[in-house]
Amino acid sequence: MKPQTAQGSRPDSHQDTEPEKIPSAGSRYTTVSRWDAVRWFLATLLVVAVSGLVVAVGLTRPAAAQKPHYGEPVPVPPGQITLACPQVPPTVNPAAVDGSGNPLAPPKIAGSMTSTVLARTARVPEKAVYQPLGSRGRAPQSAAPTPEETNPDQTNSHQSGAKHLVTEDTEEVAPPPENPQNDLDLTPKSAMLYGSFSTPVSGFLTAQPWDGKVALAGADIEQSVSSGDYRGLASASCQPAQLESWLVGGSTEIGESSVLQLMNPSSNSVDAKVEVWGDTGKLDFPRGEKITVPARQLQAIPLESQVGGTQRLVVRVTSNGAGLASSLMTHSLLGLTAGGVSLVHTSALPNTTQVIPGVAMDGSLGAVRLLNPGADSARATIEVVNENGRFPLPGGKDLDLDPGAVLDFTLGGLQPGNYAVIVNATEPVAAGAVIYRQGSVSPTDSDKFVRDLAWLPALSTGGGVVMGPAATQRQLLVTNLNAENREYRIDGATHVVNAMTTVVVPLKDETPQLIEAPDLYVTQLVTTNLGDGDGIDALEPIPDLSVSSQIYVHLTS
């Protein structure tokens, strides 16, 4: 007889089995549980794989993995503006002799440094000072009236550098005597601040913001020498510092001199890198890797000591921090005959299209200088625009530009007239031009003629402040490369230039003027009579630094 079990109990053989609650191994419940486990495993594996892919892409290409988000523009308060005025070539060679070996008579020398801050409104600006290089400190303060007390008809003597300020009761107040070793405070004159030296004193113009904007400031420096080795006119529009500058011009052949000038207008030292290209390509420049320019100083480097024997030069200057104002001081001799002086100004950054305004031809020679700084060969076509329209330059189609080599292409095929030169290239190029003015027979060589020259930079569109050096003839060249006529303004007066033409505007007044030409190419040519021919140079407008674009800063980690 089998033993009895208690009610609700199970035999030992069935103690772990309960068919009515737990299905057998082949039941549907067991099958679903296995598929759930598989699905969870596959899903986990997929998530891990996708997460790893996202992390890998984010590490290797963070910019592609993140969409930039820009915040609202933040207004930046206007700051002071500082312009740097370079040195001009020396005035006389004491050893200069004529063809018979007799000492030459001392040359006639004229020059100036002129600074201004133009008014944006009816109120005359204030707080601007010109600090010569090596200044010994502040100039003595004169008993000048405040801007509110000054009569707008007060006068200024440019030649002497003295400022005669006229008060409301017409009593003249004598200023301190001119001293190029002291800082020069700019003082009110009509609707501007104004100051000058009667000699070309290199230095820095600093102007404080006014009426909620960066000051509309300008300065220039110029010098003319009538005879001797340094015969010619040299001038420069004083410029703000730049982080990258291209100087297209100059030579270090025998009889040629090119001095690189690096000016630091900031209050901290700046390190610069200098690269030089020549006839055969990029040149070894021993000092070029790191040149330190102290605060408020000028560093001058004769390039003939570094890259001598180079017929055609292009120089690139890059710097850190506040940047530098760069220029080349050039001087040329044709044997014992004066070959001209000029200051090479900064050209536009390399681009596939370059425009060089101010190419005024009078039958003398001239040339366009081109550099292809890239690693690939390029082809370039040169055109010109004058008052009659746009034309190809004879022989200037499909020019081969080897990587790194500097090319000079003659402008001798142009008829006398006023032009802008247009360069279109398949690769970015740097460009500039040189024009000449021939004078009388050389006093040292009857087979040669004295001459002067002007190096012209490629420019961007836009006007700015143009200065009026004393004892020079001035003309403004304005080029319109648009398909429609365009307006431009000189001190508020409106003028029109036709499509695809260049116009010439004589400027007779020495007063500094504002040129407003947002989409036109503008430069100013200055000439002076040296007695045996003309001296010539160019003065590009000083830009209005209150006209700037927005800059977005995107930070990633």
Side-chain angles (χ1 to χ4, degrees), residues 466-484:
V466 296
M467 307 297 291
T472 61
Q473 294 77 49
R474 310 163 58 203
Q475 60 180 17
L476 195 71
L477 275 70
V478 182
T479 298
N480 177 13
L481 296 184
N482 297 286
E484 302 85 18

Side-chain angles (χ1 to χ4, degrees), residues 447-487:
D447 294 331
K448 293 186 175 69
F449 294 86
V450 295
R451 74 179 188 189
D452 194 22
L453 57 89
W455 282 102
L456 309 170
L459 299 178
S460 302
T461 56
V465 180
V466 296
M467 307 297 291
T472 61
Q473 294 77 49
R474 310 163 58 203
Q475 60 180 17
L476 195 71
L477 275 70
V478 182
T479 298
N480 177 13
L481 296 184
N482 297 286
E484 302 85 18
N485 297 349
R486 285 288 191 271
E487 292 183 348

Side-chain angles (χ1 to χ4, degrees), residues 127-460:
K127 297 181 181 177
V129 61
Y130 187 83
Q131 181 184 36
L133 281 173
S135 169
R136 291 198 297 253
R138 300 289 305 171
Q141 297 296 314
S142 68
T146 63
E148 291 76 15
E149 298 171 338
T150 303
N151 187 299
D153 294 326
Q154 60 199 343
T155 59
N156 176 285
S157 173
H158 177 82
Q159 293 301 319
S160 68
K163 294 170 287 299
H164 299 284
L165 305 181
V166 183
T167 60
E168 292 182 354
D169 59 2
T170 71
E171 178 184 357
E172 292 191 1
V173 179
E178 177 182 295
N179 186 345
Q181 296 299 316
N182 288 334
D183 292 355
L184 173 67
D185 286 306
L186 275 61
T187 52
K189 176 186 176 183
S190 300
M192 70 180 81
L193 293 181
Y194 187 86
S196 69
F197 286 118
S198 61
T199 55
V201 180
S202 177
F204 304 95
L205 169 65
T206 300
Q208 301 302 321
W210 190 243
D211 284 337
K213 290 186 177 181
V214 174
L216 186 57
D220 72 2
I221 191 166
E222 55 92 17
Q223 174 184 270
S224 63
V225 180
S226 65
S227 61
D229 289 354
Y230 295 95
R231 175 194 177 276
L233 173 64
S235 65
S237 298
C238 306
Q239 295 293 324
Q242 300 182 47
L243 295 177
E244 180 177 4
S245 299
W246 289 80
L247 303 167
V248 183
S251 171
T252 58
E253 282 190 309
I254 295 177
E256 305 277 347
S257 173
S258 295
V259 179
L260 175 63
Q261 300 190 77
L262 305 175
M263 298 189 72
N264 177 10
S266 72
S267 57
N268 298 299
S269 63
V270 171
D271 291 335
K273 178 181 180 181
V274 177
E275 301 167 272
V276 181
W277 288 262
D279 318 334
T280 58
K282 196 169 185 179
L283 305 177
D284 181 37
F285 189 70
R287 291 190 57 188
E289 284 303 313
K290 184 179 179 181
I291 299 173
T292 300
V293 185
R296 309 290 282 192
Q297 294 296 322
L298 179 150
Q299 189 83 272
I301 304 171
L303 295 186
E304 51 266 34
S305 68
Q306 304 287 311
V307 288
T310 302
Q311 182 180 3
R312 299 180 288 269
L313 286 175
V314 174
V315 178
R316 181 193 185 202
V317 179
T318 52
S319 54
N320 59 13
L324 297 171
S326 307
S327 63
L328 277 179
M329 180 172 62
T330 68
H331 167 230
S332 175
L333 281 175
L334 309 172
L336 296 177
T337 300
V341 294
S342 184
L343 288 165
V344 180
H345 312 152
T346 301
S347 278
L349 299 180
N351 204 332
T352 53
T353 298
Q354 297 282 19
V355 179
I356 310 165
V359 181
M361 304 296 294
D362 71 341
S364 302
L365 294 178
V368 177
R369 179 164 294 183
L370 300 175
L371 164 69
N372 169 17
D376 299 323
S377 298
R379 297 180 73 85
T381 295
I382 305 176
E383 299 174 286
V384 295
V385 176
N386 64 6
E387 68 274 14
N388 297 318
R390 182 169 178 168
F391 310 96
L393 179 67
K397 184 178 181 181
D398 292 334
L399 303 176
D400 291 321
L401 303 178
D402 294 330
V406 183
L407 170 71
D408 280 358
F409 189 82
T410 180
L411 294 171
L414 289 178
Q415 296 297 317
N418 298 291
Y419 302 87
V421 170
I422 307 166
V423 179
N424 286 300
T426 57
E427 298 289 335
V429 297
V434 61
I435 56 177
Y436 298 94
R437 288 295 182 268
Q438 182 174 290
S440 62
V441 176
S442 167
T444 58
D445 191 339
S446 59
D447 294 331
K448 293 186 175 69
F449 294 86
V450 295
R451 74 179 188 189
D452 194 22
L453 57 89
W455 282 102
L456 309 170
L459 299 178
S460 302

